[in-house]
Amino acid sequence: MNNQQYMQLALDEAIKGCGWVNPNPMVGAVIVKDDKIIGKGYHQKYGEWHAERNALAACYDSTKGATMYVTLEPCCHWGKTPPCTDAIIASGIAKVVIGSKDPHSLVAGKGIRILEQHGIEVFTGILEEKCQQLNEVFFHYICSKIPFVVIKYAMTIDGKTATATGKSQWITGEIAREHVHRLRHRYSAIMVGVGTVIADDPMLSCRLPDSRNPIRIICDTNLRTPIDAKVVQTANEITTFIATATTNSEKIETLREKNVNIISLPSKNGHINLRELMTVLGEKEIDSILIEGGATLHAAALESGIINKVMAYIAPKIFGGEQAKSAVGGNGIDDPAQAYQLSDGKYTQLGQDILLEYTLK
């Protein structure tokens, strides 16, 4: 096997930590000696050992003179765990092959320099694009201190997210809907507008086995969330935030008694100031958000400039109807030249449905 193949195995390890390590990165490591894999591991859960230490602990043979393949530059500072560079140096590893460098200010090349200073040969950039793509959330969050935001919706091939009567269940098939729940597991939080809560009374949970529920965030400018809503009644089980601009202290206190966390923010153009909300959520170590709101929240999120990625599930159906709902509301743009520009398209077939993913420029 060559460097690329071993690094791919390290990537396969890293993805196992998906949803469990936020706001840390997903990292995998493979240790090779005499062309044999003697150990491998991944960062399994936030606050626990990193991939390098797990891989070293899994080795069935001496690591002296071995090569470690790791998807991200090893950390060289104390956090919730000791520096991984210390463990690598102590292990007798002779060479470290790194997928991508760590942009964290406490690392940013320092991990590489420390290894080299101790006589360890270091190579970088193996499957770098794949390694960076794996941790697009981490790279964005660690550099900007605000969450990586994904807007997700399902629509028919004629662009409708609901019929003219407001009915939308179900547009896509089971395979696509399961994929959505994998997103809820992967990203730290899910965000909707109060209109969605009132209309659908959703749980906003992840229904996959061996998964975690996302933190729930409700944008509710005037605090209209019903006390008997599922998101309120289960707030003691799933962390729930309501962002509001109201000063209704009685309603706020009632919600707090139900274990709902209230974020008070000023409004902007009659809605929650989403840019300020992102700053607050970033300070709470929420590194990523999946927006599953209605057309109003989608429009506000686009206009505020907080969106990083768009994911559209397209079903082979036609609803028709001038009054049928579309994914983005608001006033829209006046001229096609003003359109929001998307790039880096990716296509995935999910049963009869199609998922289109784009980066928002």
Side-chain angles (χ1 to χ4, degrees), residues 154-157 170-178 312-317 347-356:
M155 66 182 186
T156 60
I157 202 167
W170 296 103
I171 291 176
T172 54
E174 290 185 8
I175 296 175
R177 298 201 298 273
E178 180 180 317
Y313 296 81
I314 303 176
K317 300 175 182 178
Y347 160 97
T348 305
Q349 187 80 39
L350 297 169
Q352 293 297 309
D353 305 313
I354 296 171
L355 169 61
L356 297 180

Side-chain angles (χ1 to χ4, degrees), residues 51-200:
E52 299 92 326
R53 288 180 177 269
N54 282 331
L56 288 167
C59 286
Y60 66 83
D61 196 358
S62 169
T63 54
K64 187 173 178 61
T67 297
M68 174 181 283
Y69 292 84
V70 60
T71 56
L72 187 69
E73 178 182 359
C75 67
C76 54
H77 62 94
W78 277 84
K80 292 185 178 297
T81 58
C84 288
T85 49
D86 289 357
I88 294 170
I89 292 165
S91 72
I93 291 282
K95 182 167 68 174
V96 176
V97 181
I98 296 170
S100 62
K101 294 181 180 179
D102 189 338
H104 194 299
S105 60
L106 294 175
V107 188
K110 297 174 188 175
I112 293 172
R113 289 196 297 272
I114 288 172
L115 294 176
E116 290 177 334
Q117 287 166 2
H118 284 80
I120 297 174
E121 197 173 8
V122 179
F123 293 90
T124 62
I126 305 301
L127 296 188
E128 183 174 20
E129 186 175 346
K130 279 190 173 183
C131 292
Q132 290 177 341
Q133 186 176 31
L134 175 72
N135 281 310
E136 62 180 355
V137 167
F138 172 74
F139 289 139
H140 171 83
Y141 177 69
I142 209 65
C143 293
S144 68
K145 307 301 182 186
I146 60 174
F148 183 90
V149 181
V150 178
I151 186 172
K152 163 264 161 188
Y153 52 86
M155 66 182 186
T156 60
I157 202 167
D158 61 332
K160 308 300 184 182
T161 59
T163 65
T165 61
K167 295 181 179 180
S168 61
Q169 294 184 346
W170 296 103
I171 291 176
T172 54
E174 290 185 8
I175 296 175
R177 298 201 298 273
E178 180 180 317
H179 190 273
V180 170
H181 282 274
R182 292 207 295 271
L183 296 183
R184 290 185 179 186
H185 170 74
R186 175 169 189 166
Y187 297 115
S188 292
I190 183 171
M191 178 185 288
V192 299
V194 66
T196 297
V197 173
I198 293 172
D200 301 335

Side-chain angles (χ1 to χ4, degrees), residues 1 4-14 30 37 40:
M1 295 178 69
Q4 286 75 17
Q5 290 171 315
Y6 284 127
M7 188 60 73
Q8 182 59 56
L9 290 177
L11 280 165
D12 294 342
E13 285 292 305
V30 172
I37 296 173
K40 56 185 179 179

Side-chain angles (χ1 to χ4, degrees), residues 23-40:
N24 280 354
M26 290 177 275
V27 184
V30 172
I31 299 173
V32 179
K33 187 175 183 180
D34 298 327
D35 295 324
K36 294 181 180 179
I37 296 173
I38 62 171
K40 56 185 179 179

